[in-house]
PDB file of all heavy atoms in Angstrom:
ATOM      1  N   ASP E 333     -18.350   3.751 -16.035  1.00  0.00           N
ATOM      2  CA  ASP E 333     -18.414   2.398 -15.459  1.00  0.00           C
ATOM      3  C   ASP E 333     -17.905   2.399 -14.015  1.00  0.00           C
ATOM      4  O   ASP E 333     -18.193   1.479 -13.244  1.00  0.00           O
ATOM      5  CB  ASP E 333     -17.547   1.415 -16.270  1.00  0.00           C
ATOM      6  CG  ASP E 333     -18.054   1.234 -17.700  1.00  0.00           C
ATOM      7  OD1 ASP E 333     -19.230   1.537 -17.948  1.00  0.00           O
ATOM      8  OD2 ASP E 333     -17.265   0.807 -18.563  1.00  0.00           O
ATOM      9  N   PHE E 334     -17.080   3.391 -13.695  1.00  0.00           N
ATOM     10  CA  PHE E 334     -16.488   3.500 -12.351  1.00  0.00           C
ATOM     11  C   PHE E 334     -16.651   4.939 -11.876  1.00  0.00           C
ATOM     12  O   PHE E 334     -15.671   5.670 -11.723  1.00  0.00           O
ATOM     13  CB  PHE E 334     -14.999   3.090 -12.393  1.00  0.00           C
ATOM     14  CG  PHE E 334     -14.811   1.742 -13.014  1.00  0.00           C
ATOM     15  CD1 PHE E 334     -14.519   1.631 -14.367  1.00  0.00           C
ATOM     16  CD2 PHE E 334     -15.009   0.588 -12.272  1.00  0.00           C
ATOM     17  CE1 PHE E 334     -14.406   0.381 -14.969  1.00  0.00           C
ATOM     18  CE2 PHE E 334     -14.900  -0.668 -12.869  1.00  0.00           C
ATOM     19  CZ  PHE E 334     -14.600  -0.762 -14.219  1.00  0.00           C
ATOM     20  N   PRO E 335     -17.907   5.357 -11.666  1.00  0.00           N
ATOM     21  CA  PRO E 335     -18.143   6.783 -11.404  1.00  0.00           C
ATOM     22  C   PRO E 335     -17.420   7.302 -10.164  1.00  0.00           C
ATOM     23  O   PRO E 335     -16.926   8.435 -10.186  1.00  0.00           O
ATOM     24  CB  PRO E 335     -19.669   6.868 -11.243  1.00  0.00           C
ATOM     25  CG  PRO E 335     -20.145   5.463 -11.046  1.00  0.00           C
ATOM     26  CD  PRO E 335     -19.147   4.573 -11.709  1.00  0.00           C
ATOM     27  N   VAL E 336     -17.331   6.503  -9.121  1.00  0.00           N
ATOM     28  CA  VAL E 336     -16.717   7.014  -7.881  1.00  0.00           C
ATOM     29  C   VAL E 336     -15.205   7.158  -8.049  1.00  0.00           C
ATOM     30  O   VAL E 336     -14.633   8.217  -7.792  1.00  0.00           O
ATOM     31  CB  VAL E 336     -17.066   6.113  -6.678  1.00  0.00           C
ATOM     32  CG1 VAL E 336     -16.406   6.631  -5.419  1.00  0.00           C
ATOM     33  CG2 VAL E 336     -18.576   6.029  -6.501  1.00  0.00           C
ATOM     34  N   ALA E 337     -14.562   6.085  -8.496  1.00  0.00           N
ATOM     35  CA  ALA E 337     -13.103   6.146  -8.664  1.00  0.00           C
ATOM     36  C   ALA E 337     -12.727   7.227  -9.670  1.00  0.00           C
ATOM     37  O   ALA E 337     -11.781   7.997  -9.451  1.00  0.00           O
ATOM     38  CB  ALA E 337     -12.562   4.788  -9.098  1.00  0.00           C
ATOM     39  N   SER E 338     -13.458   7.323 -10.779  1.00  0.00           N
ATOM     40  CA  SER E 338     -13.120   8.317 -11.814  1.00  0.00           C
ATOM     41  C   SER E 338     -13.246   9.733 -11.259  1.00  0.00           C
ATOM     42  O   SER E 338     -12.378  10.582 -11.491  1.00  0.00           O
ATOM     43  CB  SER E 338     -14.043   8.189 -13.020  1.00  0.00           C
ATOM     44  OG  SER E 338     -14.054   6.877 -13.480  1.00  0.00           O
ATOM     45  N   TYR E 339     -14.339   9.973 -10.529  1.00  0.00           N
ATOM     46  CA  TYR E 339     -14.555  11.293  -9.935  1.00  0.00           C
ATOM     47  C   TYR E 339     -13.454  11.598  -8.923  1.00  0.00           C
ATOM     48  O   TYR E 339     -12.799  12.636  -8.979  1.00  0.00           O
ATOM     49  CB  TYR E 339     -15.926  11.315  -9.257  1.00  0.00           C
ATOM     50  CG  TYR E 339     -16.242  12.566  -8.487  1.00  0.00           C
ATOM     51  CD1 TYR E 339     -16.635  13.730  -9.141  1.00  0.00           C
ATOM     52  CD2 TYR E 339     -16.154  12.586  -7.088  1.00  0.00           C
ATOM     53  CE1 TYR E 339     -16.927  14.882  -8.426  1.00  0.00           C
ATOM     54  CE2 TYR E 339     -16.446  13.736  -6.372  1.00  0.00           C
ATOM     55  CZ  TYR E 339     -16.836  14.880  -7.042  1.00  0.00           C
ATOM     56  OH  TYR E 339     -17.119  16.030  -6.336  1.00  0.00           O
ATOM     57  N   ASN E 340     -13.213  10.672  -8.011  1.00  0.00           N
ATOM     58  CA  ASN E 340     -12.190  10.890  -6.982  1.00  0.00           C
ATOM     59  C   ASN E 340     -10.814  11.151  -7.586  1.00  0.00           C
ATOM     60  O   ASN E 340     -10.079  12.012  -7.129  1.00  0.00           O
ATOM     61  CB  ASN E 340     -12.078   9.665  -6.068  1.00  0.00           C
ATOM     62  CG  ASN E 340     -13.180   9.623  -5.032  1.00  0.00           C
ATOM     63  OD1 ASN E 340     -13.774  10.654  -4.706  1.00  0.00           O
ATOM     64  ND2 ASN E 340     -13.464   8.436  -4.524  1.00  0.00           N
ATOM     65  N   GLN E 341     -10.475  10.379  -8.609  1.00  0.00           N
ATOM     66  CA  GLN E 341      -9.099  10.448  -9.092  1.00  0.00           C
ATOM     67  C   GLN E 341      -8.800  11.718  -9.884  1.00  0.00           C
ATOM     68  O   GLN E 341      -7.652  12.019 -10.162  1.00  0.00           O
ATOM     69  CB  GLN E 341      -8.732   9.151  -9.819  1.00  0.00           C
ATOM     70  CG  GLN E 341      -8.691   8.019  -8.786  1.00  0.00           C
ATOM     71  CD  GLN E 341      -8.169   6.699  -9.297  1.00  0.00           C
ATOM     72  OE1 GLN E 341      -8.938   5.773  -9.519  1.00  0.00           O
ATOM     73  NE2 GLN E 341      -6.859   6.593  -9.497  1.00  0.00           N
ATOM     74  N   GLU E 342      -9.842  12.491 -10.188  1.00  0.00           N
ATOM     75  CA  GLU E 342      -9.588  13.803 -10.786  1.00  0.00           C
ATOM     76  C   GLU E 342      -9.412  14.857  -9.710  1.00  0.00           C
ATOM     77  O   GLU E 342      -9.066  15.994  -9.997  1.00  0.00           O
ATOM     78  CB  GLU E 342     -10.753  14.193 -11.689  1.00  0.00           C
ATOM     79  CG  GLU E 342     -10.666  13.448 -13.003  1.00  0.00           C
ATOM     80  CD  GLU E 342     -11.858  13.699 -13.907  1.00  0.00           C
ATOM     81  OE1 GLU E 342     -12.713  14.554 -13.562  1.00  0.00           O
ATOM     82  OE2 GLU E 342     -11.931  13.031 -14.938  1.00  0.00           O
ATOM     83  N   ARG E 343      -9.689  14.486  -8.475  1.00  0.00           N
ATOM     84  CA  ARG E 343      -9.696  15.474  -7.383  1.00  0.00           C
ATOM     85  C   ARG E 343      -8.675  15.206  -6.282  1.00  0.00           C
ATOM     86  O   ARG E 343      -8.468  16.031  -5.409  1.00  0.00           O
ATOM     87  CB  ARG E 343     -11.097  15.518  -6.751  1.00  0.00           C
ATOM     88  CG  ARG E 343     -12.186  15.999  -7.702  1.00  0.00           C
ATOM     89  CD  ARG E 343     -13.563  15.614  -7.191  1.00  0.00           C
ATOM     90  NE  ARG E 343     -13.723  15.849  -5.770  1.00  0.00           N
ATOM     91  CZ  ARG E 343     -14.200  16.965  -5.233  1.00  0.00           C
ATOM     92  NH1 ARG E 343     -14.605  17.949  -6.003  1.00  0.00           N
ATOM     93  NH2 ARG E 343     -14.289  17.074  -3.931  1.00  0.00           N
ATOM     94  N   ILE E 344      -8.044  14.040  -6.302  1.00  0.00           N
ATOM     95  CA  ILE E 344      -7.177  13.683  -5.173  1.00  0.00           C
ATOM     96  C   ILE E 344      -5.802  14.356  -5.224  1.00  0.00           C
ATOM     97  O   ILE E 344      -5.221  14.553  -6.296  1.00  0.00           O
ATOM     98  CB  ILE E 344      -6.948  12.155  -5.078  1.00  0.00           C
ATOM     99  CG1 ILE E 344      -6.626  11.581  -6.457  1.00  0.00           C
ATOM    100  CG2 ILE E 344      -8.122  11.482  -4.414  1.00  0.00           C
ATOM    101  CD1 ILE E 344      -6.210  10.129  -6.431  1.00  0.00           C
ATOM    102  N   LEU E 345      -5.302  14.666  -4.045  1.00  0.00           N
ATOM    103  CA  LEU E 345      -3.953  15.209  -3.910  1.00  0.00           C
ATOM    104  C   LEU E 345      -3.348  14.658  -2.621  1.00  0.00           C
ATOM    105  O   LEU E 345      -3.958  14.735  -1.557  1.00  0.00           O
ATOM    106  CB  LEU E 345      -4.000  16.744  -3.848  1.00  0.00           C
ATOM    107  CG  LEU E 345      -2.640  17.433  -3.875  1.00  0.00           C
ATOM    108  CD1 LEU E 345      -1.928  17.225  -5.213  1.00  0.00           C
ATOM    109  CD2 LEU E 345      -2.797  18.929  -3.606  1.00  0.00           C
ATOM    110  N   SER E 346      -2.155  14.086  -2.738  1.00  0.00           N
ATOM    111  CA  SER E 346      -1.469  13.553  -1.553  1.00  0.00           C
ATOM    112  C   SER E 346      -0.538  14.627  -1.004  1.00  0.00           C
ATOM    113  O   SER E 346       0.334  15.120  -1.717  1.00  0.00           O
ATOM    114  CB  SER E 346      -0.646  12.317  -1.916  1.00  0.00           C
ATOM    115  OG  SER E 346      -1.411  11.391  -2.650  1.00  0.00           O
TER     116      SER E 346
END
Side-chain angles (χ1 to χ4, degrees):
D333 296 340
F334 307 95
V336 179
S338 307
Y339 175 78
N340 281 338
Q341 292 188 255
E342 283 175 6
R343 296 162 44 92
I344 46 172
L345 187 66
S346 310

